[in-house]
């Protein structure tokens, strides 16, 4: 098949599609990816045909949006800001580029939040699949809307009706204004229902971490996480030297989160010092780091999570879907510092599983709270044991392989066989 993938977001959103693209190529399919130009080199290194869409990435604008989102306590207002400043930012340009990039393909796979990419696939009348990284936003009587605790079937149902009514009132007009402007068909309940393909939505998450609820519609299929196991997975020499000099360190990684605050690194260092632990701090898009050496702290750039997390005694992270899955695969307890969106769901989930203490939202983070959470991890024997048990289950999953099988099965029913 000729498969086109459109995806949107930060590194955590893109990484799973690198894994999927590579496996689809191995299966003999032609693959093109339509996304921001900052990911060009990563996809082409795999041999994937890359098609640039949208305006050049503006890191300063991105970080200022993170600053704003972190301070919003209302989840709805936070989601609306992400929709306006992210999904719909220059959406017409993104749509027009995707429309060109998808020409001549058999099947489209779209990030669930990439509304412009989805609309381009619909305009081409392509069979289209969505993929999402978090199962925490599907309506179910068995759980309340995140971040509420389980309220019981009756109250959960009422809570979901309230959320759906609110989403219809605020999200539907916002996104439908764009959809109708490019000649698309108006969608209903976009935030909860029609943001996903009506036929197949792949959930790139572990059912061992988030077990599927019995009322999950059949179009939503768990695959397991889509891990990208890179060919070059060596530790940098200065990190190897640091690891050899003492006990296993805490690893801190906020991925693409961080914003513009110049004080985050100092806070993290001071919190670690209070616990008398060593730490590795990964810079990421948050640009964490210092211009001078700090005793007991090693600063690193990009290191694949598979090898970095395996060296950790505890992982402090933002609760991104991919980072959460990687921490669980490593069999190491977490301290979750959510910044926005589904990160609160993952932090709550890890606590429920017994592999993390209570989360601390980024806007509430200070030296004292973080050092207390670290101390909880090191004083608990059960967190480490439960993390290792969970790791054994997650490691049995071949999420990308399962996804490829589901994609091929879906396509075999919808795409006419080609002769010759």
């Amino acid at each position: 098949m000729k498969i086109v993938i459109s995806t949107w977001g930060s590194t955590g959103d893109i990484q799973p599609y690198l894994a999927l693209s590579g496996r689809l190529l191995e299966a003999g399919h032609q693959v093109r990816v339509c996304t921001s130009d900052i990911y060009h080199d990563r996809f082409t290194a795999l041999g994937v045909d890359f098609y640039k869409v949208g305006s050049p990435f503006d890191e300063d604008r991105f970080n200022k949006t993170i600053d704003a989102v972190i301070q919003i306590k209302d989840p709805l207002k936070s989601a609306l800001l992400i929709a306006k400043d992210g999904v719909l930012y220059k959406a017409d340009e993104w749509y027009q580029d995707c429309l060109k990039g998808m020409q001549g393909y058999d099947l489209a796979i779209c990030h669930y939040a990439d509304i412009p990419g989805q609309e381009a696939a619909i305009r081409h009348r392509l069979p289209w699949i969505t993929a999402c990284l978090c199962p925490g936003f599907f309506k179910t009587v068995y759980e309340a809307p995140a971040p509420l605790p389980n309220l019981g079937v009756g109250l959960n149902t009422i809570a979901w009706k309230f959320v759906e009514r609110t989403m219809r009132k605020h999200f539907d007009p916002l996104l439908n204004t764009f959809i109708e402007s490019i000649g698309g068909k108006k969608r209903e309940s976009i935030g909860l229902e029609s943001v996903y393909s009506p036929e197949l939505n792949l959930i790139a998450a572990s059912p061992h971490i988030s077990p599927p609820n019995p009322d999950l519609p059949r179009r939503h299929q768990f695959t397991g996480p889509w891990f990208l196991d890179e060919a070059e997975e060596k530790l940098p020499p200065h990190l190897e030297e640091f690891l050899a000099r003492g006990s296993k360190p805490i690893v801190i990684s906020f991925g693409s989160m961080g914003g513009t605050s110049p004080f985050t690194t100092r806070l993290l260092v001071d919190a670690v010092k209070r616990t008398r632990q060593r730490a590795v701090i990964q810079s990421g898009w948050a640009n964490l780091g210092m211009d001078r050496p700090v005793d007991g702290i090693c600063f690193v750039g990009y290191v694949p999570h598979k090898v970095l997390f395996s060296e950790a005694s505890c992982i402090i992270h933002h609760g991104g879907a991919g980072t959460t899955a990687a921490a669980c695969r490593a069999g190491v307890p977490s301290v979750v510092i959510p910044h926005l969106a589904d990160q609160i769901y993952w932090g709550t989930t890890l606590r429920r599983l017994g592999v993390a203490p209570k989360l601390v939202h980024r806007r509430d983070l200070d030296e004292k709270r973080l050092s207390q959470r670290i101390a909880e991890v090191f004083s608990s024997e059960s967190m480490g044991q439960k993390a290792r048990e969970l790791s054994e289950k997650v490691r049995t999953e071949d999420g990308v392989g399962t996804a490829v099988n589901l994609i091929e099965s879906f396509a075999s029913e919808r795409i006419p066989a080609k002769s010759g």
Side-chain angles (χ1 to χ4, degrees):
M1 288 181 291
K2 295 182 68 177
I3 300 173
V4 62
I5 296 173
S6 73
T7 185
W8 166 93
S10 60
T11 302
D13 294 283
I14 300 300
Q15 194 90 341
Y17 291 91
L18 285 161
L20 180 64
S21 299
R23 193 71 72 88
L24 286 170
L25 283 175
E26 290 176 9
H29 304 292
Q30 295 182 49
V31 181
R32 166 177 282 181
V33 170
C34 297
T35 193
S36 172
D37 60 348
I38 60 169
Y39 303 114
H40 172 274
D41 292 350
R42 299 206 66 191
F43 280 102
T44 56
L46 296 176
V48 176
D49 183 33
F50 186 89
Y51 195 92
K52 181 187 82 67
V53 299
S55 302
F57 177 73
D58 185 338
E59 184 175 356
D60 183 59
R61 181 180 175 278
F62 174 85
N63 284 328
K64 287 179 179 177
T65 298
I66 297 297
D67 285 343
V69 172
I70 287 172
Q71 298 305 319
I72 299 173
K73 292 186 177 181
D74 184 337
L76 174 64
K77 291 181 179 179
S78 173
L80 283 169
L81 179 60
I82 293 170
K84 291 175 182 176
D85 282 15
V87 176
L88 295 177
Y89 177 68
K90 296 188 177 180
D92 184 68
E93 180 181 348
W94 191 281
Y95 166 76
Q96 294 296 338
D97 288 343
C98 282
L99 204 59
K100 296 173 185 174
M102 291 181 176
Q103 183 71 43
Y105 280 77
D106 302 319
L107 171 73
I109 302 169
C110 305
H111 186 293
Y112 81 100
D114 185 5
I115 301 296
Q118 294 173 19
E119 287 297 319
I122 293 169
R123 177 60 60 90
H124 279 302
R125 298 183 179 179
L126 294 177
W128 61 289
I129 298 168
T130 48
C132 71
L133 307 178
C134 178
F137 302 115
F138 302 137
K139 286 193 303 181
T140 172
V141 300
Y142 298 98
E143 293 179 24
L148 295 176
N150 193 334
L151 304 170
V153 170
L155 291 178
N156 288 345
T157 302
I158 293 171
W160 277 111
K161 285 182 178 179
F162 173 78
V163 168
E164 183 171 21
R165 184 165 62 248
T166 304
M167 297 285 275
R168 283 178 181 270
K169 180 179 178 181
H170 296 282
F171 265 81
D172 284 13
L174 176 67
L175 294 170
N176 278 325
T177 296
F178 162 71
I179 291 171
E180 293 182 299
S181 75
I182 49 97
K185 184 178 178 181
K186 188 176 178 180
R187 304 192 200 182
E188 293 187 9
S189 190
I190 300 179
L192 293 178
E193 299 286 347
S194 61
V195 73
Y196 307 108
S197 164
E199 296 189 277
L200 177 61
N201 175 56
L202 304 174
I203 307 169
S206 170
H208 291 108
I209 300 173
S210 299
N213 288 304
D215 56 351
L216 184 70
R218 286 184 59 82
R219 66 172 168 146
H220 298 299
Q221 293 288 321
F222 275 80
T223 64
W226 298 353
F227 290 120
L228 176 67
D229 291 330
E230 300 167 69
E232 185 61 38
E233 292 189 334
K234 294 181 180 179
L235 297 172
H238 78 287
L239 176 56
E240 285 190 325
E241 292 173 6
F242 176 81
L243 294 171
R245 289 199 298 267
S247 59
K248 282 196 169 188
I250 296 167
V251 169
I252 303 175
S253 178
F254 283 173
S256 305
M257 301 294 103
T260 61
S261 172
F263 306 112
T264 302
T265 303
R266 183 74 263 172
L267 185 159
L268 296 171
V269 168
D270 289 346
V272 169
K273 291 289 187 182
R274 286 181 67 150
T275 65
R276 301 181 183 277
Q277 299 291 328
R278 304 190 323 140
V280 174
I281 300 180
Q282 193 169 30
S283 61
W285 285 12
N287 294 315
L288 302 178
M290 290 185 170
D291 56 7
R292 58 181 177 79
V294 179
D295 186 45
I297 308 289
C298 180
F299 297 103
V300 297
Y302 178 75
V303 181
H305 283 167
K306 182 179 180 181
V307 292
L308 180 60
F309 287 2
S310 66
E311 302 292 341
S313 57
C314 168
I315 302 166
I316 300 173
H317 59 92
H318 58 297
T323 305
T324 297
C328 291
R329 180 173 65 165
V332 178
S334 295
V335 173
V336 182
I337 315 295
H339 291 57
L340 51 87
D342 63 335
Q343 297 165 9
I344 296 173
Y345 168 83
W346 289 117
T348 303
T349 297
L350 293 190
R351 188 190 186 199
R352 173 178 54 79
L353 292 170
V355 298
K358 184 179 179 180
L359 59 81
V360 182
H361 197 283
R362 177 63 185 87
R363 64 175 166 269
D364 301 321
L365 184 66
D366 58 30
E367 177 187 332
K368 181 179 178 181
R369 286 189 178 94
L370 181 53
S371 61
Q372 287 174 340
R373 297 301 190 277
I374 295 171
E376 283 184 56
V377 171
F378 283 96
S379 65
S380 169
E381 293 183 9
S382 65
M383 280 192 200
Q385 180 59 36
K386 289 179 179 179
R388 289 187 291 274
E389 292 171 357
L390 181 59
S391 170
E392 291 175 3
K393 297 174 182 177
V394 173
R395 288 170 183 265
T396 65
E397 300 170 342
D398 178 12
V400 187
T402 300
V404 170
N405 290 338
L406 286 168
I407 292 165
E408 291 177 335
S409 177
F410 173 87
S412 68
E413 298 175 3
R414 290 160 181 79
I415 300 174
K418 296 180 181 180
S419 60

